[in-house]
């Protein structure tokens, strides 16, 4: 009984044309295929492959029962062609979803697993938003790691003060562009700026600081 | 540099003018470094008060703070003129300590001198803005007067309408060229002199009395 109606259980021989227009007894149009002589084996393999197949066949709304890697789905339906088709080739859906050898299923499941993992990673990368706290933490980690991890930074410690002084010098130059401190002991002066400013520099400090006399509103500072 | 400042300047100039007869005028001695400003100031002070203003040196930027000699009475042709002489640091646009190293100076001293010289320039410019009633501009007649500093300072002095006397110093030196200075600033009278040797000082005092009296 290669074909069996899933509703009433009536069986049809391979190649039977009775089932082409539905089950003559109950009118059902769902059949399962059981190749002759492989019934026992088929049952065994059904057990083995059931979980995998079950998940996939539910997509088509089919029931699998206990039997097999071969669920016939002919909803609308061309009835199966028992005479011509091997179990794997019954319907397009069945072909795509179920007609796999155990090895094929295995590799397929591996593909699926890989793809699933990849999808999860990608999906999280695309959809998750990093919170500000995490960003702060990450930057702190980088900062705290870098001095210990990298030689340039540790070797840069002795030079640490220099950039500060340079920065300070640049800042001073921007603020008080009448005197540009090129380097210690080297100055460039903008005479017009010095002349135009009400306040004037009383003394320059070695660290780049300076003291200025603030103008008094009405010249009391002359005293 | 706001309206208030301009108003303040105007008022102070008017009030200064009201008491001009009583108060001595401050005459600033300006010029680039090593032009002989302090030598001239000392010459004038010694001639009329017996005191000096400050030390002279062939090393540039010897004068790094403005020095004032007050109540210098200059008598010319039966007329007395009382002035305060302000000897100012040489004005320049660049100060580099390395130029002092050539004068047997230690690096630290040269750097300090450079810093003080820079402060001196700032102070000189401040005095020019606020505190002088006239300018004696001293130039070394052996050097090219067409410099940015000279042009800028003379321009500032002119813009302030300050009376200015241009002195071509160091006429005792072989390379002296007074005419070159006269050509550079034709709008001003140029007086040759040697402050070091005391040459032509009579004419200088006459002009001081004329310009600042």
């Amino acid at each position: 009984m290669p074909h069996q109606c899933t509703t009433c259980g009536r069986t049809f021989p391979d190649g039977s044309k009775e089932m082409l227009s539905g089950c003559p007894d109950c009118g059902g149009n769902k059949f399962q295929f059981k190749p002759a002589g492989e019934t026992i084996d088929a049952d065994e393999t059904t057990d083995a492959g059931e979980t995998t197949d079950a998940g996939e066949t539910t997509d088509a709304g089919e029931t699998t029962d206990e039997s097999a890697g071969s669920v016939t789905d002919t909803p609308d339906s061309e009835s199966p062609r028992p005479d011509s088709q091997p179990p794997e080739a019954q319907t397009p859906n069945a072909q795509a979803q179920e007609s796999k050898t155990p090895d094929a299923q295995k590799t397929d499941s591996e593909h699926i697993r890989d793809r699933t993992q990849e999808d999860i990673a990608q999906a999280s990368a695309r959809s998750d938003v990093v919170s500000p706290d995490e960003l702060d933490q990450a930057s702190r980690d980088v900062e705290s790691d870098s001095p210990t991890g990298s030689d340039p930074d540790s070797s840069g410690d002795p030079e640490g003060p220099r950039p500060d002084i340079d920065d300070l010098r640049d800042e001073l130059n921007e603020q008080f562009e009448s005197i540009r401190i090129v380097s210690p002991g080297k100055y460039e002066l903008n005479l017009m700026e010095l002349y135009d400013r009400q306040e004037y520099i009383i003394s320059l400090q070695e660290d780049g600081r300076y003291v200025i006399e603030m103008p008094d509103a009405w010249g009391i500072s002359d005293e | 540099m706001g309206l208030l400042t301009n108003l303040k300047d105007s008022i102070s100039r008017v009030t200064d003018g009201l008491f001009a007869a009583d108060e001595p005028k401050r005459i600033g001695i300006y010029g680039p470094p090593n032009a002989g400003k302090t030598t001239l100031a000392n010459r004038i002070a010694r001639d009329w008060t017996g005191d000096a203003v400050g030390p002279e040196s062939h090393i540039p930027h010897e004068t790094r703070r403005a020095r004032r000699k007050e109540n210098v009475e200059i008598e010319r042709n039966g007329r007395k003129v009382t002035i305060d002489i302000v000897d100012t640091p040489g004005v320049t646009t660049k100060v580099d300590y390395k130029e002092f190293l050539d004068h047997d100076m230690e690096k630290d001293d040269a750097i300090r001198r450079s810093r003080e010289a820079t402060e001196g320039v700032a102070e000189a410019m401040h005095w020019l803005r606020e505190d002088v009633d006239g300018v004696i501009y001293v130039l070394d007649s052996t050097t090219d007067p067409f410099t940015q500093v000279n042009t800028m300072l003379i321009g500032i002095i002119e813009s302030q309408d300050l009376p200015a006397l241009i002195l071509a110093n160091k006429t005792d030196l072989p390379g002296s060229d007074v005419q070159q200075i006269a050509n550079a600033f034709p709008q001003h009278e140029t007086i040759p002199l040697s402050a070091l040797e005391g040459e032509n000082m009579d004419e200088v005092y006459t002009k001081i009395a004329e310009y600042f009296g």
Side-chain angles (χ1 to χ4, degrees):
Chain A
M1 57 163 206
H3 304 283
Q4 183 179 31
C5 176
T6 58
T7 305
C8 66
R10 178 175 171 174
T11 61
F12 303 89
D14 191 12
S16 171
K17 296 181 179 177
E18 291 179 276
M19 52 184 284
L20 292 179
S21 55
C23 177
D25 290 347
C26 67
N29 57 5
K30 295 179 182 175
F31 305 89
Q32 64 179 358
F33 178 74
K34 294 186 175 182
E38 293 185 7
T39 306
I40 298 173
D41 291 341
D43 285 341
E44 288 175 356
T45 56
T46 299
D47 291 341
E50 194 171 79
T51 53
T52 304
D53 290 339
E56 293 183 354
T57 54
T58 49
D59 290 342
E62 299 303 322
T63 57
T64 55
D65 296 344
E66 304 89 35
S67 59
S70 55
V71 174
T72 303
D73 181 9
T74 55
D76 298 326
S77 180
E78 304 140 15
S79 56
R81 296 176 186 175
D83 51 343
S84 59
Q85 299 299 325
E88 291 83 5
Q90 289 181 359
T91 66
N93 282 340
Q95 218 173 8
Q97 297 172 357
E98 301 170 71
S99 59
K100 307 290 183 186
T101 63
D103 286 342
Q105 288 175 355
K106 190 175 179 182
T107 54
D108 196 23
S109 67
E110 283 175 359
H111 286 311
I112 290 170
R113 194 183 308 125
D114 291 343
R115 194 175 66 231
T116 303
Q117 289 175 347
E118 188 175 301
D119 285 350
I120 290 170
Q122 288 179 339
S124 68
R126 280 193 298 270
S127 61
D128 287 359
V129 177
V130 179
S131 69
D133 291 342
E134 287 175 321
L135 275 178
D136 287 347
Q137 185 62 42
S139 63
R140 266 187 236 115
D141 290 345
V142 170
E143 287 170 3
S144 61
D145 286 349
S146 55
T148 56
S150 60
D151 288 341
D153 281 349
S154 57
S155 67
D157 283 345
E159 296 177 359
R162 281 193 184 173
D164 291 338
I165 289 178
D166 289 341
D167 290 345
L168 177 62
R169 191 171 290 148
D170 291 342
E171 189 178 336
L172 288 177
N173 286 335
E174 285 180 11
Q175 291 174 356
F176 210 102
E177 60 188 7
S178 47
I179 294 179
R180 182 169 294 279
I181 307 170
V182 179
S183 61
K186 201 170 180 179
Y187 302 90
E188 290 179 359
L189 299 95
N190 185 335
L191 298 182
M192 283 308 296
E193 279 290 325
L194 285 170
Y195 174 75
D196 283 338
R197 285 181 179 274
Q198 281 188 282
E199 69 277 9
Y200 80 100
I201 295 179
I202 294 176
S203 69
L204 297 164
Q205 309 295 319
E206 290 184 7
D207 59 359
R209 299 183 184 193
Y210 57 87
V211 178
I212 63 171
E213 182 192 77
M214 295 302 293
D216 194 275
W218 292 95
I220 300 173
S221 61
D222 288 349
E223 301 302 318
Chain B
M1 281 296 287
L3 188 61
L4 195 63
T5 306
N6 293 334
L7 183 63
K8 172 202 157 192
D9 290 344
S10 301
I11 292 174
S12 64
R13 285 190 185 282
V14 169
T15 53
D16 287 348
L18 291 175
F19 303 102
D22 300 324
E23 293 186 1
K25 289 187 176 174
R26 284 186 197 140
I27 307 303
I29 300 179
Y30 278 85
N34 247 18
K37 296 180 294 298
T38 303
T39 304
L40 174 66
N42 284 339
R43 170 69 63 180
I44 296 173
R46 285 198 186 102
D47 282 351
W48 299 101
T49 68
D51 297 330
V53 174
E56 303 162 24
S57 171
H58 64 286
I59 305 175
H61 296 291
E62 179 67 23
T63 304
R64 298 185 294 281
R65 283 294 177 200
R67 297 193 185 93
R68 182 158 54 171
K69 187 68 178 175
E70 295 180 333
N71 297 315
V72 178
E73 282 191 0
I74 297 174
E75 189 174 341
R76 254 327 183 232
N77 302 323
R79 182 183 172 198
K80 276 188 180 177
V81 177
T82 304
I83 59 173
D84 292 345
I85 296 173
V86 182
D87 181 27
T88 65
V91 176
T92 183
T93 54
K94 288 182 180 176
V95 181
D96 190 342
Y97 76 95
K98 288 178 182 172
E99 67 179 301
F100 306 132
L101 297 178
D102 298 335
H103 298 278
D104 294 331
M105 198 174 290
E106 295 295 326
K107 184 179 178 183
D108 289 346
D109 293 337
I111 290 177
R112 189 179 67 251
R113 187 183 182 97
S114 177
R115 190 179 69 244
E116 292 172 354
T118 303
E119 297 167 1
V121 174
E123 186 180 16
M125 297 308 293
H126 176 77
W127 275 81
L128 183 59
R129 176 194 168 91
E130 302 285 342
D131 294 316
V132 296
D133 303 311
V135 171
I136 296 174
Y137 200 79
V138 182
L139 288 167
D140 180 349
S141 60
T142 66
T143 61
D144 183 4
F146 291 97
T147 65
Q148 182 186 6
V149 169
N150 291 337
T151 304
M152 190 176 296
L153 281 182
I154 293 294
I156 290 173
I157 291 164
E158 290 173 348
S159 70
Q160 290 271 67
D161 286 330
L162 292 173
L165 188 61
I166 294 183
L167 304 185
N169 195 19
K170 302 190 183 184
T171 54
D172 57 305
L173 296 180
S176 173
D177 187 350
V178 177
Q179 191 57 45
Q180 190 178 24
I181 294 176
N183 293 340
F185 306 104
Q187 68 275 35
H188 296 280
E189 191 172 5
T190 299
I191 314 298
L193 85 155
S194 169
L196 184 64
E197 301 295 333
E199 295 175 2
N200 204 34
M201 288 306 296
D202 281 346
E203 186 181 5
V204 170
Y205 293 135
T206 301
K207 291 299 178 184
I208 288 176
E210 181 183 328
Y211 274 68
F212 309 122

